[in-house]
Amino acid sequence: MEGSMFYWIFWLFWVYITFFMTKQNPYRTKLATVILVLIILSNLDFMFMGFEFHASGLFMLLLSYIILSKKKLGSLLYAFICSFTVMIAFVTFNLFVIFDPVWVIFQKEWMMGICFSCLAIFLQTSLKDRLLMIVIGTMQGEILYAIYLRKFDFSNPIGTMAYLDAFSLITILLVSWSILENAGTFFQNQFHFLEKGKQKSS
């Protein structure tokens, strides 16, 4: 059922942030609020310039633009290039699904989740930048894809539950990868600490 993956994953994030994340974390309240707003807006949609927009996707896009605008020029240009790359990949992926569906060997959302997670990990180093790039690139891709389909008299709603499912899967994969990366650093630091302790004792 469309949307179930999105609701499960983001409710789990909200529960973790609200009840388990340390209160000293400066992002705790902001993250919990953003997730709640996303869930509340997920069933709202509206028409603009002949296109159907779903509020959650548009909210994420606008919020990402605001966060991105605070970056320095060099970082901003690189983020733009990365987002543009994701946008083109997103449109290409969806066009392949329409014109050559044979290559879609398993569920579309899972294929998108794996492909775009790998692309984000390759292009950016921090979890925050990876998520920003994915939100901006995929939402801009949704808009460009809808504009392209309109030429053939097809309508494609922007930021639907199917999109939110794919996005939530990408998010959980990126968060899991980030945990693994940090775990590696943690164990490496612990190893160096133990080695120094052995050297001092000897």
Side-chain angles (χ1 to χ4, degrees):
M1 183 179 176
E2 281 189 1
S4 58
M5 193 185 298
F6 164 73
Y7 288 124
W8 272 108
I9 290 173
F10 275 83
W11 270 121
L12 286 172
F13 279 143
W14 185 83
V15 169
Y16 171 76
I17 290 164
T18 305
F19 298 106
F20 298 100
M21 187 177 279
T22 57
K23 291 182 179 180
Q24 288 75 28
N25 192 309
Y27 299 107
R28 179 175 172 268
T29 304
K30 291 178 183 177
L31 284 171
T33 304
V34 167
I35 289 171
L36 274 181
V37 172
L38 280 177
I39 292 170
I40 292 166
L41 294 178
S42 61
N43 285 318
L44 297 176
D45 58 85
F46 59 93
M47 296 297 295
F48 179 70
M49 294 181 68
F51 294 99
E52 183 185 342
F53 285 86
H54 287 250
S56 284
L58 195 60
F59 170 74
M60 287 194 298
L61 181 61
L62 293 174
L63 185 63
S64 298
Y65 281 152
I66 292 168
I67 296 168
L68 198 65
S69 67
K70 296 176 182 178
K71 285 182 172 289
K72 294 179 181 178
L73 184 60
S75 300
L76 191 63
L77 287 172
Y78 182 67
F80 172 78
I81 293 166
C82 291
S83 300
F84 183 80
T85 303
V86 172
M87 180 183 73
I88 298 302
F90 184 87
V91 175
T92 304
F93 182 96
N94 282 286
L95 289 176
F96 265 113
V97 171
I98 292 176
F99 296 118
D100 193 15
V102 177
W103 72 279
V104 183
I105 53 177
F106 52 93
Q107 194 174 358
K108 177 187 169 183
E109 285 76 18
W110 280 94
M111 284 191 70
M112 287 183 70
I114 294 166
C115 291
F116 285 95
S117 296
C118 291
L119 186 60
I121 290 164
F122 176 75
L123 291 173
Q124 293 284 4
T125 54
S126 73
L127 177 61
K128 179 184 174 182
D129 288 335
R130 286 166 182 168
L131 289 173
L132 277 176
M133 182 187 72
I134 289 296
V135 171
I136 295 171
T138 56
M139 271 304 296
Q140 288 180 164
E142 279 269 287
I143 296 167
L144 183 61
Y145 181 59
I147 292 169
Y148 179 79
L149 289 184
R150 196 178 189 179
K151 294 179 180 179
F152 303 98
D153 293 327
F154 290 116
S155 62
N156 185 70
I158 297 163
T160 60
M161 276 296 180
Y163 167 80
L164 292 176
D165 276 347
F167 172 72
S168 60
L169 185 56
I170 295 168
T171 302
I172 196 72
L173 290 172
L174 288 177
V175 169
S176 301
W177 181 263
S178 182
I179 290 168
L180 287 173
E181 284 181 325
N182 291 328
T185 306
F186 172 78
F187 286 120
Q188 190 176 23
N189 290 337
Q190 287 294 104
F191 177 76
H192 286 311
F193 177 77
L194 289 171
E195 285 293 307
K196 285 180 181 178
K198 285 179 182 178
Q199 288 172 3
K200 285 180 182 179
S201 61
S202 60

